[in-house]
């Protein structure tokens, strides 16, 4: 081996050995291993560029920078170990020498990879080795996958035993929690499975059935396989047949006339459907891309939905259809009467109870066009539908049933683009019921406790509408306070036309605020009285006992 190659490898190995020794020590102390976790490290990339290492002092002779990556690098962060190359780089001038260098690097790395020098779990059964080398102004890249046959055989045996004893075995046998991540990665690894629906689906279905009675484990398994499936889609479909574009949101543009094999395309569609419960937007994106690749199956799903829900329902007075892929429910009111809206509401409730996504949009065909008397609500067809329903008091209990099913924290209807008009599912139903009937005040309070006030604004205008419909009373004070507490902090304003000047109202206000946090008191009091200065001016005009009550409230205030 040439001396310059030995020197290059010595600089590289000094960094790698330090990393492996640190990892070896860490791994030796780790006790809770998944049986499917064969090894930690599976990647090494060595890169040389002619750029000067930053830490070298100005004027110091330099021969470029060697970067050593022990994990596949992120595009947005460089975690490489970096060293200044020595003057031996002057000897590496042609392609043959670079190839000789890569061959020597492979031999050195493979010898360590196949040995028992380090902890058995330091290396995975395979190791991707890359050399990127700057030559005549461009980067030349060499790569090779090293395989440890003994570990590979062990991995296959371990996986087969795991499937037999943990996946396919009847309840109450479960895989360990830590096994899910690794098993999902095995499913999309072509060394262990054909990525065909017929091979993967029975295993997926078995685990989904096992976890159906355990919500925590079901959510974890969905999370694990979603990550693995997306990684497969990225590597074998997206990065092969599409070009990634878009500054803020990723867009994939078809870049080739080449097409995946039919089995690959079927698996891509299968992946889209499987991850849909967790990432419905990704599901639709994948199906649209699969359609571009020629999948009739994907086109059918986009047109008709997944067939997991009642696609359509029709009577003499109403017709409804639903597409869970596009997250759209369509309602046609054929006869403008109470029964038509009752049937339409029941159809939507049944869909949501069956698992239809709550962040849906609604297409409405109706002769009536009502909207709630609340500023800041988008005049969408979804808003119109519930305002039309609210015209029939006999439907109020059913509308409340809908709201209880629909409300979900950190979710928003898709009737508008994400904006200040965004509204949590159930918003139009709850707001309307709270305006038109005292009986649904508890529902309003439940909504206000659930709404994400940091990312939603439409509830800020509800207090004013509420007071326009209901005279403020001792009994209604707790409801008003809950409404005010839900307001978005960045958009707080003093309510127009509110006057809390009766002893009973002030006493109830004090009673309701006594057990609130300091910031909550300030939220409420600012919206009722305005600034501290405004309240102080009012106190001067009042007499006891109202004056004492207002002074107590002033002591709870902070300026906004």
């Amino acid at each position: 081996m040439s001396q310059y190659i030995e020197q290059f490898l010595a600089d590289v190995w000094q960094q790698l050995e330090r990393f492996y020794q640190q990892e070896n020590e860490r791994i030796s102390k780790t006790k809770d291993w998944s049986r499917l976790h064969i090894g930690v490290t599976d990647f090494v990339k060595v890169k040389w560029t002619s750029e000067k290492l930053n830490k070298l002092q100005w004027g110091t002779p330099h021969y470029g920078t060697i970067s050593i990556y022990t994990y596949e690098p992120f595009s947005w962060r460089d975690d490489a170990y970096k060293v200044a190359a020595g003057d031996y780089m002057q000897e590496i001038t042609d392609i043959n020498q670079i190839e000789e260098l890569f061959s020597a690097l492979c031999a050195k790395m493979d010898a360590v990879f196949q040995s028992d020098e380090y902890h058995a779990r330091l290396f995975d059964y395979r190791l991707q080795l890359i050399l990127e080398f700057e030559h005549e102004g461009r980067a030349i890249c060499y790569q090779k996958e090293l395989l440890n046959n003994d570990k590979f055989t062990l991995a296959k045996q371990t996986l087969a035993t795991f499937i037999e004893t943990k996946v396919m075995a009847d309840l109450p046998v479960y895989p360990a929690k830590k096994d899910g991540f690794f098993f999902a990665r095995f499913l999309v690894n072509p060394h262990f499975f054909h990525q065909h629906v017929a091979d993967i689906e029975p295993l997926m279905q078995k685990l989904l059935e096992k976890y159906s009675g355990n919500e925590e484990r079901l959510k974890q398994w969905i999370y694990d396989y979603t990550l693995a499936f997306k990684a497969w889609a990225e590597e074998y479909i997206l990065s092969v047949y599409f070009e990634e574009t878009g500054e803020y949101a990723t867009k994939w543009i078809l870049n080739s006339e080449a097409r995946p094999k039919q089995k690959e395309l079927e698996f891509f569609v299968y992946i889209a459907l499987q991850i849909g419960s967790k990432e419905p937007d990704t599901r639709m994106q994948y199906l649209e891309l699969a359609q571009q690749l020629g999948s009739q199956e994907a086109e059918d799903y986009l047109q008709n939905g997944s067939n997991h829900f009642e696609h359509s329902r029709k009577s003499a007075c109403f017709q409804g259809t639903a597409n869970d892929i596009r997250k759209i429910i369509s309602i046609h009111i054929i006869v403008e009467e109470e029964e038509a809206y009752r049937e339409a509401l029941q159809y939507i409730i049944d869909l949501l109870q069956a698992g239809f996504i709550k962040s849906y949009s609604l297409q409405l065909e109706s002769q009536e066009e009502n909207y709630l008397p609340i500023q800041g609500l988008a005049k969408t067809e979804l808003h119109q539908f519930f305002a039309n329903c609210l015209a029939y008091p006999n439907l109020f209990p059913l509308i409340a049933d809908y709201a209880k099913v629909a409300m979900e924290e950190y979710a928003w209807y898709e009737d508008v683009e994400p904006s200040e008009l965004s509204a949590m599912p159930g918003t139009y139903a709850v707001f309307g019921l709270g305006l038109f009937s005292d009986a649904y005040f508890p529902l309003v309070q439940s909504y206000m406790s659930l709404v994400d006030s940091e990312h939603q604004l439409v509830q800020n205008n509800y207090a004013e509408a509420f007071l326009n419909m209901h005279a403020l009373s001792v009994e209604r004070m707790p409801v008003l306070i809950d409404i005010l507490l839900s307001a978005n902090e960045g958009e707080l304003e003093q309510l127009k036309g509110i006057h809390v000047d009766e002893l009973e109202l002030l006493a109830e206000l004090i009673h309701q605020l006594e057990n609130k946090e300091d910031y909550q008191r300030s939220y409420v009091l600012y919206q009722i009285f305005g600034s501290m200065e405004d309240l102080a001016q009012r106190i001067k005009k009042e007499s006891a006992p109202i004056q004492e009550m207002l002074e107590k409230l002033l002591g709870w205030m902070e300026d906004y």
Side-chain angles (χ1 to χ4, degrees), residues 268-319:
F268 183 44
V269 172
Y270 172 76
I271 277 178
L273 298 177
Q274 289 299 313
I275 67 178
S277 63
K278 182 172 179 60
E279 297 191 15
D281 291 337
T282 305
R283 172 180 59 189
M284 187 163 70
Q285 181 191 51
Y286 281 10
L287 289 175
E288 289 173 342
L289 296 178
Q291 183 183 25
Q292 292 180 43
L293 292 171
S295 171
Q296 182 61 46
E297 183 185 20
E299 184 175 337
D300 291 342
Y301 282 127
L302 288 167
Q303 183 68 30
N304 302 313
S306 70
N307 298 322
H308 291 159
F309 302 95
E310 184 179 356
H311 176 62
S312 64
R313 186 182 293 183
K314 185 177 182 180
S315 72
C317 55
F318 121 95
Q319 181 175 359

Side-chain angles (χ1 to χ4, degrees), residues 11 137 140 201 215 220 226 283 345 451 455 457 480 493:
D11 279 345
I140 302 173
E201 169 62 10
E215 185 177 359
Q220 184 61 50
T226 296
R283 172 180 59 189
L345 267 172
V451 70
H455 299 98
L457 301 179
L480 177 63
E493 293 183 2

Side-chain angles (χ1 to χ4, degrees), residues 220-254:
Q220 184 61 50
W221 173 233
I222 292 173
Y223 176 81
D224 289 336
Y225 74 65
T226 296
L227 286 180
F229 281 175
K230 289 176 66 177
W232 184 91
E234 173 82 27
E235 181 175 356
Y236 292 98
I237 300 295
L238 302 181
S239 63
V240 176
Y241 304 103
F242 297 90
E243 180 180 350
E244 186 176 1
T245 64
E247 184 175 353
Y248 299 107
T250 300
K251 295 182 180 179
W252 298 96
I253 307 299
L254 199 62

Side-chain angles (χ1 to χ4, degrees), residues 261-379:
K261 295 178 181 179
Q262 184 61 29
K263 291 291 186 180
E264 277 189 326
L265 190 53
E266 289 176 0
F267 191 65
F268 183 44
V269 172
Y270 172 76
I271 277 178
L273 298 177
Q274 289 299 313
I275 67 178
S277 63
K278 182 172 179 60
E279 297 191 15
D281 291 337
T282 305
R283 172 180 59 189
M284 187 163 70
Q285 181 191 51
Y286 281 10
L287 289 175
E288 289 173 342
L289 296 178
Q291 183 183 25
Q292 292 180 43
L293 292 171
S295 171
Q296 182 61 46
E297 183 185 20
E299 184 175 337
D300 291 342
Y301 282 127
L302 288 167
Q303 183 68 30
N304 302 313
S306 70
N307 298 322
H308 291 159
F309 302 95
E310 184 179 356
H311 176 62
S312 64
R313 186 182 293 183
K314 185 177 182 180
S315 72
C317 55
F318 121 95
Q319 181 175 359
T321 59
N323 185 324
D324 59 313
I325 300 298
R326 295 197 178 278
K327 299 182 287 184
I328 294 174
I329 298 175
S330 298
I331 298 295
H332 177 198
I333 301 298
I334 300 172
V335 182
E336 289 289 344
E337 62 183 24
E338 180 179 304
E339 185 59 27
Y341 287 98
R342 181 185 303 279
E343 292 180 4
L345 267 172
Q346 191 60 59
Y347 177 51
I348 297 174
I349 291 171
D350 291 345
L351 287 171
L352 296 188
Q353 288 179 330
F356 196 94
I357 187 166
K358 297 175 182 179
S359 298
Y360 65 90
S361 61
L362 186 138
Q363 296 175 339
L364 177 65
E365 188 175 343
S366 168
Q367 297 299 314
E368 294 295 322
E369 189 173 350
N370 297 307
Y371 298 102
L372 298 175
I374 304 170
Q375 289 186 353
L377 287 185
K379 291 187 175 181

Side-chain angles (χ1 to χ4, degrees), residues 51 147 252 314 370 488 505:
E51 296 178 359
L147 185 68
W252 298 96
K314 185 177 182 180
N370 297 307
N488 180 281
L505 289 178

